[in-house]
Amino acid sequence: MTERVNPERTLERQGIDGLGRVYYNLLEPAIIQESLARGEGTLGLGGTLLVSTGKFTGRSPNDKHVVRSAATEDSIWWDANRPMTPDAYDVLRADMLAHMKGRDYFVQDLFAGADPSHRLDVRVVTELAWHSLFIRHMLRRPGSAELAKFEPEYTIINCTSFRADPERHGCQSEVVIALNLDAKEILIAGSEYAGENKKSVFTLLNYILPERGVMPMHCSANHAPDDPADSAVFFGLSGTGKTTLSAAPDRMLLGDDEHGWSDRGVFNFEGGCYAKTINLSPEAEPEIFATTTRFGTVIENMVFDPDTLALDYDDISLTPNMRAAYPLDYISNTSETGLGGHPKNVVMLVCDAFGVLPPISRLTPAQAMYHFLSGFTSKVAGTERGVTEPEPTFSTCFGAPFMPRRPEIYGNLLRDKIAEHGSDCWLVNTGWTGGAFGTGSRMPIQATRALLAAALNGSLAAGQFRRDPNFGFEVPVRCEGVSDELLDPRRTWADKDAYDAQAAKLVDMFAENFEKYVEHIDEDVKACAIG
């Protein structure tokens, strides 16, 4: 079993000693062998690894903390980020390292970012072997020559068996995610949900990149097959369709979740995809479906037949948030470089549980900043602990849990880049139509795909639009392959008065939510305020 590491760059050099055996940069077959030997999972069809995350099947946003210090006092958005004192962090770290002594650990040295000029060199230390496989899929994998000289800029230590003590460690529960930006270190404990590793890296990039003039984005991205300059980005929270809609067969996929927008264009942060598998089918999403029987894919929290190992894509008894983690090259139309040009189209995906937003609307740069700061959507069951059905919410920048800085910093970056590069911006509702959740139906994915295809090829922008009386944006009046009725959500409701009441309710929610941004934004954005 080959362990690839320069002996001068071991954990001991970082003051992490007394561990059992440490496995450095194992490749996929070796990690799977170790995981199976330790009883962490089951070998599935095609050589997949079937695992369960136990008690926690989603992220724990309320357990995430940032160490408050002189250096971070004025740069962190403390309204949305829980502080931790440096002393509490030091106690937490000492207790975790003491707990780790004598135990085996797995190390992956990886890149976050496809653009070498903006990437972050990250070392991820995990107690579970399968977490090592997961993060190896999620981030970008250095070659042997790059590993030989690898120096971690940030280190993540994930000790799943350690239980935090709120009184002793200044946290909320036995689960803790603590970011120490001064020490360039993140501690994770108490949860086996692998997504905490991935989102911790995203949070780091969201802190570091804006100072370089790079816009970090919770989005998927793709480009035209023969033209990387013709790129598009798709903002959205989990469950709004980022993975599904960006993996269009007639476009080249850059990535499904996290990207940066620099002076040279768009670049993927990651090296893999973390796709939801609930109701996944070979007819609707053949390429993603095929990854669930590919060697090394991590199948997380899916029910399977104990004899045949066949996966049940409809059984949500473990969680609706069941997922597959796999490398990007498992999708055939994936960019090898992870690099694209400046987006010609910026798409904001929302899941409207009220059923009143049109399936697509065109936004000005100022309106784009308004809706980006608003971040309206519905939390989808399972993505976070405690969410069991779609729940209307406002998550600023379509990713408030991962935004360490004030939202206006990201909003201004986005508005300026859209204006500078002349991007068309679209608000796309993948939620409900014909009524609210429980009465209406989910937006037909065929219609969403047809509308997006028309937006990306330029034909939608060349057509006729109407101004929406409730929200002020422009809505196309027709699109080939989509019924005119669907484009006007009021017409899809049997009870028009009920639609008007729901629309008025949502307008009031937008207005109330946006009050907290008014003193921080320019007049052109204020003029876009709804309500």
Side-chain angles (χ1 to χ4, degrees), residues 115-314:
D115 187 339
S117 60
H118 296 298
R119 78 183 182 203
L120 196 67
D121 296 356
V122 182
R123 167 165 283 180
V124 184
V125 183
T126 63
E127 183 175 14
L128 294 175
W130 78 262
H131 275 201
S132 194
L133 178 62
F134 171 89
I135 202 63
R136 185 170 171 79
H137 288 336
M138 288 296 100
L139 298 185
R140 303 186 72 86
R141 298 161 287 281
S144 297
E146 292 170 312
L147 280 177
K149 57 184 180 181
F150 188 94
E151 287 280 2
E153 298 174 69
Y154 280 81
T155 298
I156 298 172
I157 305 172
N158 189 330
C159 180
T160 56
S161 63
F162 182 78
R163 299 291 181 266
D165 180 340
E167 290 190 11
R168 180 173 172 80
H169 302 130
C171 53
Q172 300 293 305
S173 74
E174 65 181 20
V175 175
V176 65
I177 304 98
L179 286 75
N180 190 329
L181 295 164
D182 297 339
K184 296 187 174 183
E185 188 175 71
I186 300 175
L187 305 180
I188 304 174
S191 172
E192 294 184 20
Y193 184 66
E196 301 289 10
N197 301 293
K198 163 186 158 71
K199 290 305 184 185
S200 292
V201 176
F202 186 40
T203 303
L204 280 179
L205 291 166
N206 282 330
Y207 181 77
I208 294 166
L209 292 181
E211 288 189 338
R212 304 179 185 177
V214 177
M215 173 65 189
M217 303 178 290
H218 188 206
C219 71
S220 56
N222 61 27
H223 66 71
D226 300 315
D227 186 7
D230 182 4
S231 68
V233 298
F234 303 77
F235 286 100
L237 292 177
S238 178
T240 55
K242 292 195 312 299
T243 299
T244 298
L245 296 171
S246 59
D250 59 342
R251 306 270 297 178
M252 294 294 292
L253 178 69
L254 287 171
D256 80 327
D257 198 39
E258 300 168 8
H259 294 78
W261 188 350
S262 71
D263 289 340
R264 61 152 306 282
V266 176
F267 63 98
N268 191 2
F269 289 166
E270 300 186 298
C273 297
Y274 191 31
K276 291 175 76 77
T277 56
I278 182 172
N279 305 134
L280 190 64
S281 73
E283 295 78 23
E285 299 171 86
E287 293 241 40
I288 297 174
F289 186 88
T291 68
T292 61
T293 53
R294 292 284 300 272
F295 177 79
T297 293
V298 177
I299 303 295
E300 191 179 78
N301 294 323
M302 286 191 71
V303 174
F304 59 91
D305 187 289
D307 298 318
T308 67
L309 302 177
L311 300 171
D312 191 330
Y313 299 87
D314 303 314

Side-chain angles (χ1 to χ4, degrees), residues 449-460:
R449 284 177 167 151
L451 288 164
L452 280 174
L456 299 187
N457 68 29
S459 62
L460 196 63

Side-chain angles (χ1 to χ4, degrees), residues 460-507:
L460 196 63
Q464 182 181 354
F465 288 78
R466 65 175 178 86
R467 185 178 181 276
D468 187 275
N470 294 304
F471 302 98
F473 40 53
E474 293 185 315
V475 182
V477 296
R478 62 183 50 87
C479 176
E480 185 176 351
V482 180
S483 72
D484 293 351
E485 181 181 78
L486 191 69
L487 291 169
D488 186 350
R490 191 173 188 270
R491 292 171 60 189
T492 68
W493 283 54
D495 186 339
K496 306 302 191 254
D497 290 338
Y499 170 85
D500 292 338
Q502 280 285 79
K505 181 178 179 180
L506 185 55
V507 165

